[in-house]
Amino acid sequence: MTLLFYDTFSCFGEVLSSRVVCDSNGEPKGYGFVHYATLEAAELAIKKLDGMLLNDHLVSISHHKPYKEWQVDQNANSKSCRKKDYSLYVSNLPYNLDSDELCSLFSVFGNVTSAKVMMNNRRSRGYGFVSYSSINNAIIAVSLMNGYIVGNRPLKVALSHNA
């Protein structure tokens, strides 16, 4: 697992160190750290990998924050009563579908707070994300859109891991 992790991230630039965080039994906890030699390499990795599926896991990548800075952010977020978004992962999208069309498809189930088709050189990668402010709208959308045919392709729709 550690070698795969290193290999995945090393193609974006020189890796000074990398580590997959494991529990006391040696099982991966689902996150890790990569320290690049340059900021540009880190930015490229974020740009290319954030939101992708690797080993059937949705990847979320961001710059590391020192613990004290993270703690300040957590305290500010808990006091602000920030709205939670309920996100759906939508795959098997037609390659000509864009974010606006994805939003239109899913807006019939409620207020869509965001809709994004993941693109590569102006062409859909075949998957995207739709977010609702209501868990009920998200659940209804999953139940009615999973298997729904768009452009001769049955959509695969599921609640995202962060929902």
Side-chain angles (χ1 to χ4, degrees):
M1 178 62 137
T2 304
L3 185 58
L4 175 63
F5 186 74
Y6 175 84
D7 287 346
T8 300
F9 287 92
S10 65
C11 59
F12 300 105
E14 181 186 356
V15 173
L16 299 176
S17 65
S18 67
R19 179 171 73 104
V20 174
V21 178
C22 297
D23 64 17
S24 59
N25 296 324
E27 292 297 316
K29 286 188 168 185
Y31 64 95
F33 300 95
V34 178
H35 181 195
Y36 283 102
T38 65
L39 178 61
E40 292 78 18
E43 292 290 340
L44 184 59
I46 291 170
K47 181 180 175 185
K48 296 291 186 180
L49 295 178
D50 189 42
M52 289 192 65
L53 281 178
L54 294 176
N55 265 0
D56 294 326
H57 296 288
L58 184 63
V59 176
S60 176
I61 303 174
S62 62
H63 290 285
H64 172 71
K65 288 184 179 183
Y67 179 73
K68 286 186 178 185
E69 189 178 327
W70 176 83
Q71 199 172 27
V72 167
D73 288 349
Q74 292 299 323
N75 288 338
N77 286 341
S78 66
K79 292 176 185 172
S80 70
C81 297
R82 199 175 59 152
K83 275 189 168 180
K84 180 172 174 65
D85 279 343
Y86 299 94
S87 297
L88 306 179
Y89 173 70
V90 184
S91 62
N92 205 31
L93 292 171
Y95 291 109
N96 62 350
L97 191 89
D98 65 20
S99 295
D100 290 338
E101 293 168 313
L102 182 65
C103 183
S104 293
L105 273 172
F106 282 83
S107 64
V108 297
F109 305 106
N111 183 37
V112 172
T113 58
S114 70
K116 174 108 174 124
V117 173
M118 304 311 289
M119 305 295 274
N120 188 17
N121 295 327
R122 296 185 182 156
R123 182 175 182 251
S124 168
R125 296 170 108 177
Y127 72 94
F129 301 90
V130 177
S131 296
Y132 294 97
S133 57
S134 162
I135 187 66
N136 292 334
N137 294 347
I139 290 170
I140 290 168
V142 169
S143 65
L144 295 176
M145 292 301 283
N146 190 42
Y148 185 79
I149 306 293
V150 176
N152 295 327
R153 298 179 72 133
L155 297 182
K156 295 179 183 173
V157 183
L159 279 172
S160 181
H161 293 292
N162 65 351

